[in-house]
Amino acid sequence: MSIANQPYELLANRVHKQFVVDPEITMGALNELEGKMDAIRTHKNTLTDEELEKAYRELGDQELETNLTSMRRTLHQVILRAPDGGAKAPERVRRMPQRPMMSQGAKQVVAVQTGPGRRRQTGAVVPAAPQSGSRPGSLKGELQQQQHGKEKALSGQECLSCNRHRSNGEEYPGVGYICDECHDAQGAGGSGADQGRRRTREAATSYIEEDDFDPDTRNYRQPRLKEGGLPTNNFYGKMDASGPARPQSRGAAQDSGEQTFSRTRQGAATRKRIVEQDNEPITLDDTDDEEAGPGPGSLADAAQPRRSQRSNAFKGPMQRFEGLKALYPPCGGPGAVEITPADMARLNPEEFLNDTIIDFFMRHIWEHLPEEVKARCYFFNSFFWKKLTEKSGLSSTLDNGPRGPVAAANHERVKKWTKGLDIFAMDFLFVPIHDHLHWSLLIVCNPGADPEDTSRTPCMLHLDSMTGMHHPSCLLHIHDV
Amino acid sequence: MAETDQKPDINASEHVNIRVVAQDGNVVQFKIKKKAQLRKLMTAYTERLGLQEGSVIFLYDGLRIQREQTPNDLGMEEEAQLEVMMAQEGGG
């Protein structure tokens, strides 16, 4: 028992050191770390072997510390919950995250196998990296192995996320052990089919899992983010969770590496650089048998027994709906709106309404109209206005009139939105407007009316519960109402 | 005859290239199986950009798409274009 506990005590000591660190400092450390990595990358061709190795070593240690800091809340539970020994967890292939913007020369997925026969059967398999004698890669690998040796003592078999003992999982250096289920839950969707299979299996064994986050809930990560707890991207990037024998295209492998690297990268600068990267299509074809999981509105997710060990201040009464989704209209169809508990929580007093709620209610109104009225009304969704009035990048000196190039560009962006529909045949067009944290409604009446016809006058009504913010002069980039 | 010759080709291509266009004009291309649920694409996209999954909405021809839908469901052709919109919130 004491032997089994030892790794946790070591871990606890390290965590204790980190426990008082301010989250602000963590962000600073992250930025610093990122800067250093960039520096190494830039200079890796000019540095000597020794210098490079030293730099990587330093970096590795830092990264470790940073991870620890950001994980401190979760790790705290590890301290509180002593392990009871258990079978030795098989270790999984460690993948060094790959930075997407690394130069082509260094673009390789570094896979270090921690030992013979330790590769998990169903784990994410990164094909043997094209090491090609590349200096940074091999050094990194070496360093990883060293680090791994160092960290092995700290690992256990208790999952950090669900606090259960698992024999299937992955070990993260300086962090601990994450079981497969949590790993998958975090990488929700990254391995849809695999996850689907796993879920089925879980259901079959009446397996209790996921107290905190559900991959189908769109906001499952939020509480953790707020508390500075588990870094949400930390275990991401399992783009492929198929068996080792499964052939895999090189592109997919690289993607997998790239995705893995999203951990601890939340900086805006990073985001931008990622966006700027290659325009190669990302292949998402790893699993061919997308099992049709429980559809929206299904009770399957909620039916799973749930256990919450944590008192989570961020969970409201909506928690009991967690994992549920509702599709409106229930039969689906084009433009159906999916509502999650997080959306429902926005109906509470003093909460902001979001686009889903607006779209839902507009749809709800439409569905309940008499048939003859339905045909005369068209409801745009809440993004129409935003898309229509998006900055087109055209010079402001251009003709801003209804027939000018700006208007043409605006129309171009949304012309597909109403394909197969003649909006000028409608009597009323409803356009929800969102701007400056405020919603208002524009109703276009008789858009196609003949000017000669005095019985039907084209006009627009703007319903706004507040004055000022949605005044045409500050709202419209295209033309005045 | 030309039509019948073409048809098998179209059916044979299991994959479809999808361009995901952000509001700022950035484009990320994905190649996905026509039978695969778009949830995969959405997750990959949000991860890639470091976004929270619920923070963006994906539209195809102005209509919201659900995570469970597949390119086949939506009748997507090659080089189909998805629009990504940031979630909007506001008071009434």
Side-chain angles (χ1 to χ4, degrees):
Chain A
M1 190 65 186
S2 64
I3 293 168
N5 272 339
Q6 203 169 12
Y8 287 88
E9 278 163 16
L10 278 171
L11 192 58
N13 280 337
R14 298 196 67 169
V15 175
H16 185 73
K17 261 199 303 187
Q18 298 284 345
F19 215 70
V20 287
V21 177
D22 187 54
E24 292 295 322
I25 300 172
T26 316
M27 280 315 291
L30 257 177
N31 288 339
E32 195 184 319
L33 187 66
E34 213 166 322
K36 281 194 177 178
M37 289 190 79
D38 279 340
I40 291 176
R41 219 164 284 120
T42 319
H43 296 115
K44 66 172 180 293
N45 291 329
T46 54
L47 290 174
T48 64
D49 273 358
E50 288 79 13
E51 282 170 337
L52 200 59
E53 187 168 351
K54 187 165 166 269
Y56 271 122
R57 205 180 294 276
E58 202 182 320
L59 199 63
D61 284 347
Q62 272 200 25
E63 200 164 25
L64 215 63
E65 298 293 309
T66 318
N67 269 339
L68 271 178
T69 314
S70 54
M71 292 284 283
R72 64 193 186 282
R73 189 176 74 93
T74 323
L75 287 176
H76 189 51
Q77 289 164 17
V78 180
I79 308 166
L80 295 179
R81 298 168 54 82
D84 53 9
K88 168 128 187 69
E91 284 152 24
R92 194 187 277 212
V93 181
R94 278 201 58 217
R95 282 162 296 158
M96 194 61 182
Q98 169 81 22
R99 253 199 139 166
M101 47 285 195
M102 276 175 96
S103 67
Q104 198 59 39
K107 198 155 188 173
Q108 53 179 344
V109 183
V110 183
V112 178
Q113 205 163 347
T114 54
R118 281 185 176 162
R119 193 174 272 228
R120 275 191 68 256
Q121 284 302 305
T122 56
V125 175
V126 180
Q131 291 284 347
S132 69
S134 163
R135 215 170 43 175
S138 49
L139 266 173
K140 236 173 177 177
E142 208 179 294
L143 175 65
Q144 274 185 331
Q145 270 173 336
Q146 286 170 5
Q147 238 188 48
H148 189 76
K150 199 164 64 186
E151 291 305 320
K152 222 162 75 176
L154 300 183
S155 67
Q157 293 85 35
E158 191 180 30
C159 172
L160 286 177
S161 189
C162 63
N163 292 325
R164 278 185 205 90
H165 287 268
R166 291 268 177 271
S167 56
N168 57 339
E170 184 162 6
E171 190 187 11
Y172 290 86
V175 174
Y177 182 79
I178 306 288
C179 74
D180 264 354
E181 284 73 23
C182 297
H183 191 290
D184 283 354
Q186 289 239 345
S191 53
D194 191 51
Q195 196 185 333
R197 275 195 292 277
R198 205 159 262 145
R199 281 176 161 259
T200 325
R201 211 166 59 209
E202 280 164 24
T205 54
S206 64
Y207 176 67
I208 305 170
E209 185 48 30
E210 300 167 26
D211 54 349
D212 216 350
F213 43 150
D214 188 290
D216 293 328
T217 314
R218 294 201 302 188
N219 302 44
Y220 64 103
R221 281 179 242 163
Q222 218 151 12
R224 293 183 178 223
L225 268 188
K226 278 184 186 162
E227 292 198 1
L230 198 65
T232 55
N233 276 336
N234 222 350
F235 310 107
Y236 262 48
K238 245 183 71 170
M239 295 298 294
D240 186 284
S242 49
R246 189 177 211 101
Q248 206 178 35
S249 74
R250 193 165 166 272
Q254 286 210 349
D255 272 345
S256 156
E258 283 177 17
Q259 297 292 342
T260 318
F261 201 77
S262 56
R263 70 174 191 176
T264 64
R265 307 293 164 214
Q266 299 267 346
T270 317
R271 238 171 270 164
K272 195 159 186 184
R273 269 174 289 166
I274 292 175
V275 172
E276 284 167 5
Q277 68 182 335
D278 55 303
N279 273 331
E280 293 265 311
I282 301 158
T283 311
L284 300 167
D285 66 335
D286 35 1
T287 46
D288 48 358
D289 49 348
E290 281 284 2
E291 284 168 31
S298 145
L299 289 173
D301 280 323
Q304 283 182 16
R306 233 161 260 283
R307 183 180 70 165
S308 186
Q309 296 160 338
R310 262 160 264 183
S311 66
N312 194 329
F314 293 100
K315 280 184 175 170
M318 287 304 152
Q319 189 184 345
R320 66 179 184 273
F321 296 123
E322 195 174 304
L324 268 179
K325 287 185 296 181
L327 195 64
Y328 189 86
C331 55
V337 184
E338 199 175 282
I339 304 138
T340 67
D343 296 324
M344 281 175 70
R346 292 179 176 274
L347 297 173
N348 290 335
E350 298 184 16
E351 290 286 337
F352 282 144
L353 299 174
N354 69 2
D355 47 89
T356 311
I357 296 294
I358 298 288
D359 283 343
F360 159 72
F361 197 64
M362 300 289 276
R363 184 69 191 246
H364 187 265
I365 293 172
W366 188 79
E367 293 281 340
H368 287 77
L369 287 175
E371 282 302 322
E372 66 272 17
V373 184
K374 262 186 193 179
R376 295 168 54 205
C377 299
Y378 184 74
F379 290 78
F380 286 98
N381 73 18
S382 59
F383 296 101
F384 174 76
W385 183 263
K386 187 69 53 102
K387 198 73 188 171
L388 180 72
T389 57
E390 235 171 43
K391 296 260 191 317
S392 51
L394 294 173
S395 164
S396 56
T397 56
L398 283 169
D399 178 14
N400 222 1
R403 306 260 172 219
V406 178
N410 289 333
H411 175 252
E412 182 70 25
R413 276 196 299 273
V414 293
K415 69 175 184 187
K416 276 183 165 177
W417 287 39
T418 51
K419 66 179 177 188
L421 180 89
D422 182 10
I423 56 169
F424 292 100
M426 300 282 169
D427 286 349
F428 301 102
L429 306 175
F430 295 83
V431 186
I433 296 178
H434 174 267
D435 201 29
H436 293 96
L437 289 178
H438 179 56
W439 291 98
S440 62
L441 180 67
L442 183 73
I443 308 173
V444 184
C445 309
N446 302 320
D450 185 353
E452 306 290 314
D453 184 359
T454 49
S455 66
R456 295 171 75 232
T457 314
C459 68
M460 291 196 221
L461 309 175
H462 187 207
L463 310 184
D464 187 358
S465 61
M466 290 176 86
T467 52
M469 286 198 300
H470 283 195
H471 189 269
S473 62
C474 56
L475 191 64
L476 295 179
H477 316 303
I478 39 173
H479 51 79
D480 286 343
V481 172
Chain B
M1 263 323 272
E3 277 178 23
T4 48
D5 283 342
Q6 275 177 0
K7 267 194 177 172
D9 283 348
I10 295 165
N11 293 336
S13 69
E14 279 191 333
H15 293 89
V16 62
N17 274 314
I18 297 178
R19 291 158 51 84
V20 181
V21 186
Q23 273 170 291
D24 56 1
N26 275 315
V27 178
V28 182
Q29 286 212 36
F30 289 92
K31 190 176 183 186
I32 189 169
K33 282 203 171 170
K34 285 182 177 172
K35 284 185 292 183
Q37 294 184 359
L38 286 164
R39 121 198 353 254
K40 189 174 287 180
L41 183 150
M42 299 182 188
T43 314
Y45 184 83
T46 46
E47 274 173 22
R48 195 177 181 86
L49 270 73
L51 301 168
Q52 281 212 40
E53 225 163 303
S55 66
V56 287
I57 313 290
F58 291 83
L59 304 175
Y60 179 58
D61 283 351
L63 294 173
R64 286 163 174 264
I65 57 175
Q66 276 92 55
R67 295 161 59 86
E68 287 79 13
Q69 285 178 315
T70 67
N72 268 344
D73 293 342
L74 297 163
M76 284 184 174
E77 303 284 331
E78 191 62 18
E79 296 294 321
Q81 188 161 316
L82 289 186
E83 286 148 349
V84 182
M85 303 295 283
M86 297 305 289
Q88 308 176 120
E89 60 173 33

